[in-house]
PDB file of all heavy atoms in Angstrom:
ATOM      1  N   TYR A  30     -22.146  -5.826  -8.046  1.00 97.00           N
ATOM      2  CA  TYR A  30     -22.608  -7.193  -7.772  1.00 97.00           C
ATOM      3  C   TYR A  30     -24.133  -7.282  -7.836  1.00 97.00           C
ATOM      4  O   TYR A  30     -24.680  -8.329  -8.122  1.00 97.00           O
ATOM      5  CB  TYR A  30     -22.141  -7.661  -6.388  1.00 97.00           C
ATOM      6  CG  TYR A  30     -20.659  -7.974  -6.295  1.00 97.00           C
ATOM      7  CD1 TYR A  30     -19.785  -7.078  -5.684  1.00 97.00           C
ATOM      8  CD2 TYR A  30     -20.146  -9.164  -6.803  1.00 97.00           C
ATOM      9  CE1 TYR A  30     -18.428  -7.365  -5.578  1.00 97.00           C
ATOM     10  CE2 TYR A  30     -18.799  -9.462  -6.709  1.00 97.00           C
ATOM     11  CZ  TYR A  30     -17.948  -8.555  -6.091  1.00 97.00           C
ATOM     12  OH  TYR A  30     -16.606  -8.835  -5.990  1.00 97.00           O
ATOM     13  N   ASP A  31     -24.791  -6.140  -7.527  1.00 96.00           N
ATOM     14  CA  ASP A  31     -26.260  -6.195  -7.412  1.00 96.00           C
ATOM     15  C   ASP A  31     -26.970  -5.410  -8.519  1.00 96.00           C
ATOM     16  O   ASP A  31     -28.186  -5.273  -8.508  1.00 96.00           O
ATOM     17  CB  ASP A  31     -26.685  -5.663  -6.029  1.00 96.00           C
ATOM     18  CG  ASP A  31     -26.253  -4.218  -5.803  1.00 96.00           C
ATOM     19  OD1 ASP A  31     -25.707  -3.601  -6.745  1.00 96.00           O
ATOM     20  OD2 ASP A  31     -26.451  -3.707  -4.690  1.00 96.00           O
ATOM     21  N   VAL A  36     -19.089  -1.097  -6.871  1.00 97.00           N
ATOM     22  CA  VAL A  36     -18.059  -1.264  -5.835  1.00 97.00           C
ATOM     23  C   VAL A  36     -16.671  -0.988  -6.421  1.00 97.00           C
ATOM     24  O   VAL A  36     -15.707  -0.771  -5.684  1.00 97.00           O
ATOM     25  CB  VAL A  36     -18.106  -2.657  -5.170  1.00 97.00           C
ATOM     26  CG1 VAL A  36     -19.438  -2.848  -4.464  1.00 97.00           C
ATOM     27  CG2 VAL A  36     -17.839  -3.768  -6.147  1.00 97.00           C
ATOM     28  N   VAL A  37     -16.561  -1.004  -7.758  1.00 98.00           N
ATOM     29  CA  VAL A  37     -15.377  -0.498  -8.460  1.00 98.00           C
ATOM     30  C   VAL A  37     -15.893   0.484  -9.508  1.00 98.00           C
ATOM     31  O   VAL A  37     -16.816   0.157 -10.249  1.00 98.00           O
ATOM     32  CB  VAL A  37     -14.570  -1.634  -9.130  1.00 98.00           C
ATOM     33  CG1 VAL A  37     -13.426  -1.066  -9.972  1.00 98.00           C
ATOM     34  CG2 VAL A  37     -14.022  -2.604  -8.077  1.00 98.00           C
ATOM     35  N   GLY A  54      -5.851  -0.088   0.577  1.00 96.00           N
ATOM     36  CA  GLY A  54      -7.052   0.662   0.933  1.00 96.00           C
ATOM     37  C   GLY A  54      -7.776  -0.014   2.069  1.00 96.00           C
ATOM     38  O   GLY A  54      -7.486  -1.160   2.400  1.00 96.00           O
ATOM     39  N   PRO A  55      -8.733   0.691   2.659  1.00 95.00           N
ATOM     40  CA  PRO A  55      -9.469   0.110   3.782  1.00 95.00           C
ATOM     41  C   PRO A  55     -10.344  -1.052   3.315  1.00 95.00           C
ATOM     42  O   PRO A  55     -10.569  -1.229   2.112  1.00 95.00           O
ATOM     43  CB  PRO A  55     -10.332   1.273   4.280  1.00 95.00           C
ATOM     44  CG  PRO A  55     -10.393   2.248   3.173  1.00 95.00           C
ATOM     45  CD  PRO A  55      -9.164   2.058   2.345  1.00 95.00           C
ATOM     46  N   SER A  56     -10.824  -1.819   4.272  1.00 94.00           N
ATOM     47  CA  SER A  56     -11.688  -2.950   3.988  1.00 94.00           C
ATOM     48  C   SER A  56     -12.935  -2.466   3.248  1.00 94.00           C
ATOM     49  O   SER A  56     -13.510  -1.436   3.591  1.00 94.00           O
ATOM     50  CB  SER A  56     -12.050  -3.593   5.328  1.00 94.00           C
ATOM     51  OG  SER A  56     -12.976  -4.599   5.114  1.00 94.00           O
ATOM     52  N   GLY A  57     -13.309  -3.193   2.200  1.00 95.00           N
ATOM     53  CA  GLY A  57     -14.518  -2.840   1.451  1.00 95.00           C
ATOM     54  C   GLY A  57     -14.300  -1.836   0.341  1.00 95.00           C
ATOM     55  O   GLY A  57     -15.245  -1.414  -0.321  1.00 95.00           O
ATOM     56  N   SER A  58     -13.036  -1.457   0.091  1.00 96.00           N
ATOM     57  CA  SER A  58     -12.791  -0.422  -0.921  1.00 96.00           C
ATOM     58  C   SER A  58     -12.713  -0.990  -2.343  1.00 96.00           C
ATOM     59  O   SER A  58     -12.530  -0.231  -3.287  1.00 96.00           O
ATOM     60  CB  SER A  58     -11.526   0.378  -0.572  1.00 96.00           C
ATOM     61  OG  SER A  58     -10.401  -0.461  -0.453  1.00 96.00           O
ATOM     62  N   GLY A  59     -12.795  -2.310  -2.498  1.00 97.00           N
ATOM     63  CA  GLY A  59     -12.874  -2.887  -3.846  1.00 97.00           C
ATOM     64  C   GLY A  59     -11.615  -3.585  -4.332  1.00 97.00           C
ATOM     65  O   GLY A  59     -11.547  -4.015  -5.487  1.00 97.00           O
ATOM     66  N   LYS A  60     -10.633  -3.767  -3.457  1.00 97.00           N
ATOM     67  CA  LYS A  60      -9.348  -4.341  -3.872  1.00 97.00           C
ATOM     68  C   LYS A  60      -9.489  -5.793  -4.337  1.00 97.00           C
ATOM     69  O   LYS A  60      -9.038  -6.157  -5.421  1.00 97.00           O
ATOM     70  CB  LYS A  60      -8.339  -4.278  -2.699  1.00 97.00           C
ATOM     71  CG  LYS A  60      -8.210  -2.906  -2.061  1.00 97.00           C
ATOM     72  CD  LYS A  60      -7.240  -2.902  -0.904  1.00 97.00           C
ATOM     73  CE  LYS A  60      -7.601  -3.821   0.259  1.00 97.00           C
ATOM     74  NZ  LYS A  60      -8.789  -3.385   1.031  1.00 97.00           N
ATOM     75  N   THR A  61     -10.115  -6.619  -3.500  1.00 96.00           N
ATOM     76  CA  THR A  61     -10.253  -8.038  -3.841  1.00 96.00           C
ATOM     77  C   THR A  61     -11.085  -8.205  -5.111  1.00 96.00           C
ATOM     78  O   THR A  61     -10.764  -9.034  -5.972  1.00 96.00           O
ATOM     79  CB  THR A  61     -10.885  -8.812  -2.660  1.00 96.00           C
ATOM     80  OG1 THR A  61      -9.962  -8.774  -1.560  1.00 96.00           O
ATOM     81  CG2 THR A  61     -11.169 -10.260  -3.022  1.00 96.00           C
ATOM     82  N   THR A  62     -12.120  -7.388  -5.249  1.00 97.00           N
ATOM     83  CA  THR A  62     -12.945  -7.447  -6.454  1.00 97.00           C
ATOM     84  C   THR A  62     -12.084  -7.231  -7.703  1.00 97.00           C
ATOM     85  O   THR A  62     -12.244  -7.928  -8.709  1.00 97.00           O
ATOM     86  CB  THR A  62     -14.072  -6.389  -6.374  1.00 97.00           C
ATOM     87  OG1 THR A  62     -14.878  -6.679  -5.222  1.00 97.00           O
ATOM     88  CG2 THR A  62     -14.941  -6.387  -7.617  1.00 97.00           C
ATOM     89  N   CYS A  63     -11.154  -6.286  -7.635  1.00 97.00           N
ATOM     90  CA  CYS A  63     -10.264  -6.025  -8.784  1.00 97.00           C
ATOM     91  C   CYS A  63      -9.399  -7.246  -9.094  1.00 97.00           C
ATOM     92  O   CYS A  63      -9.239  -7.628 -10.256  1.00 97.00           O
ATOM     93  CB  CYS A  63      -9.369  -4.819  -8.515  1.00 97.00           C
ATOM     94  SG  CYS A  63     -10.308  -3.289  -8.479  1.00 97.00           S
ATOM     95  N   GLU A  71     -14.495 -13.123 -11.438  1.00 96.00           N
ATOM     96  CA  GLU A  71     -15.590 -12.155 -11.536  1.00 96.00           C
ATOM     97  C   GLU A  71     -15.466 -11.461 -12.887  1.00 96.00           C
ATOM     98  O   GLU A  71     -14.357 -11.391 -13.432  1.00 96.00           O
ATOM     99  CB  GLU A  71     -15.503 -11.092 -10.425  1.00 96.00           C
ATOM    100  CG  GLU A  71     -15.784 -11.600  -9.025  1.00 96.00           C
ATOM    101  CD  GLU A  71     -17.235 -12.016  -8.790  1.00 96.00           C
ATOM    102  OE1 GLU A  71     -18.097 -11.690  -9.653  1.00 96.00           O
ATOM    103  OE2 GLU A  71     -17.500 -12.672  -7.781  1.00 96.00           O
ATOM    104  N   ASP A 176      -3.367 -11.644  -2.415  1.00 95.00           N
ATOM    105  CA  ASP A 176      -4.393 -10.911  -1.679  1.00 95.00           C
ATOM    106  C   ASP A 176      -4.176 -11.087  -0.181  1.00 95.00           C
ATOM    107  O   ASP A 176      -4.484 -12.141   0.365  1.00 95.00           O
ATOM    108  CB  ASP A 176      -5.781 -11.400  -2.092  1.00 95.00           C
ATOM    109  CG  ASP A 176      -6.881 -10.457  -1.613  1.00 95.00           C
ATOM    110  OD1 ASP A 176      -6.597  -9.566  -0.785  1.00 95.00           O
ATOM    111  OD2 ASP A 176      -8.027 -10.626  -2.059  1.00 95.00           O
ATOM    112  N   GLU A 177      -3.656 -10.074   0.475  1.00 94.00           N
ATOM    113  CA  GLU A 177      -3.366 -10.098   1.908  1.00 94.00           C
ATOM    114  C   GLU A 177      -2.690 -11.409   2.307  1.00 94.00           C
ATOM    115  O   GLU A 177      -3.132 -12.078   3.247  1.00 94.00           O
ATOM    116  CB  GLU A 177      -4.664  -9.929   2.720  1.00 94.00           C
ATOM    117  CG  GLU A 177      -5.564  -8.816   2.198  1.00 94.00           C
ATOM    118  CD  GLU A 177      -5.710  -7.638   3.142  1.00 94.00           C
ATOM    119  OE1 GLU A 177      -5.066  -7.640   4.202  1.00 94.00           O
ATOM    120  OE2 GLU A 177      -6.438  -6.703   2.782  1.00 94.00           O
ATOM    121  N   VAL A 208      -2.298  -7.082  -2.815  1.00 97.00           N
ATOM    122  CA  VAL A 208      -3.357  -6.361  -2.114  1.00 97.00           C
ATOM    123  C   VAL A 208      -3.097  -6.377  -0.624  1.00 97.00           C
ATOM    124  O   VAL A 208      -2.755  -7.410  -0.048  1.00 97.00           O
ATOM    125  CB  VAL A 208      -4.748  -7.002  -2.399  1.00 97.00           C
ATOM    126  CG1 VAL A 208      -5.767  -6.594  -1.339  1.00 97.00           C
ATOM    127  CG2 VAL A 208      -5.248  -6.613  -3.771  1.00 97.00           C
ATOM    128  N   PHE A 225      -6.821   2.859  -2.818  1.00 96.00           N
ATOM    129  CA  PHE A 225      -8.258   2.723  -3.084  1.00 96.00           C
ATOM    130  C   PHE A 225      -9.076   3.298  -1.938  1.00 96.00           C
ATOM    131  O   PHE A 225      -8.740   3.108  -0.775  1.00 96.00           O
ATOM    132  CB  PHE A 225      -8.651   1.235  -3.178  1.00 96.00           C
ATOM    133  CG  PHE A 225      -8.435   0.631  -4.529  1.00 96.00           C
ATOM    134  CD1 PHE A 225      -7.153   0.444  -5.008  1.00 96.00           C
ATOM    135  CD2 PHE A 225      -9.513   0.240  -5.312  1.00 96.00           C
ATOM    136  CE1 PHE A 225      -6.945  -0.126  -6.260  1.00 96.00           C
ATOM    137  CE2 PHE A 225      -9.309  -0.330  -6.561  1.00 96.00           C
ATOM    138  CZ  PHE A 225      -8.030  -0.510  -7.035  1.00 96.00           C
TER     139      PHE A 225
HETATM  140  P1  ADP B  92     -11.706  -5.139  -0.194  1.00 53.36           P
HETATM  141  O1  ADP B  92     -10.968  -6.304  -0.752  1.00 53.36           O
HETATM  142  O2  ADP B  92     -11.065  -3.825  -0.513  1.00 53.36           O
HETATM  143  O3  ADP B  92     -11.985  -5.285   1.272  1.00 53.36           O
HETATM  144  P2  ADP B  92     -13.972  -6.118  -1.720  1.00 53.36           P
HETATM  145  O4  ADP B  92     -13.601  -6.051  -3.153  1.00 53.36           O
HETATM  146  O5  ADP B  92     -13.922  -7.442  -1.058  1.00 53.36           O
HETATM  147  O6  ADP B  92     -13.144  -5.038  -0.905  1.00 53.36           O
HETATM  148  O7  ADP B  92     -15.449  -5.560  -1.544  1.00 53.36           O
HETATM  149  C1  ADP B  92     -15.899  -4.360  -2.131  1.00 53.36           C
HETATM  150  C2  ADP B  92     -17.417  -4.254  -1.908  1.00 53.36           C
HETATM  151  O8  ADP B  92     -18.076  -5.254  -2.645  1.00 53.36           O
HETATM  152  C3  ADP B  92     -17.838  -4.439  -0.464  1.00 53.36           C
HETATM  153  O9  ADP B  92     -18.878  -3.562  -0.194  1.00 53.36           O
HETATM  154  C4  ADP B  92     -18.284  -5.885  -0.412  1.00 53.36           C
HETATM  155  O10 ADP B  92     -19.251  -6.063   0.576  1.00 53.36           O
HETATM  156  C5  ADP B  92     -18.848  -6.095  -1.808  1.00 53.36           C
HETATM  157  N1  ADP B  92     -18.673  -7.496  -2.261  1.00 53.36           N
HETATM  158  C6  ADP B  92     -17.496  -8.171  -2.365  1.00 53.36           C
HETATM  159  N2  ADP B  92     -17.680  -9.413  -2.858  1.00 53.36           N
HETATM  160  C7  ADP B  92     -19.012  -9.534  -3.082  1.00 53.36           C
HETATM  161  C8  ADP B  92     -19.835 -10.576  -3.594  1.00 53.36           C
HETATM  162  N3  ADP B  92     -19.324 -11.757  -3.998  1.00 53.36           N
HETATM  163  N4  ADP B  92     -21.170 -10.351  -3.681  1.00 53.36           N
HETATM  164  C9  ADP B  92     -21.698  -9.161  -3.298  1.00 53.36           C
HETATM  165  N5  ADP B  92     -20.991  -8.124  -2.809  1.00 53.36           N
HETATM  166  C10 ADP B  92     -19.657  -8.296  -2.698  1.00 53.36           C
END
Side-chain angles (χ1 to χ4, degrees):
Y30 287 103
D31 60 5
V36 298
V37 174
S56 174
S58 57
K60 309 179 299 291
T61 295
T62 300
C63 291
E71 291 292 348
D176 194 348
E177 314 247 3
V208 160
F225 276 69

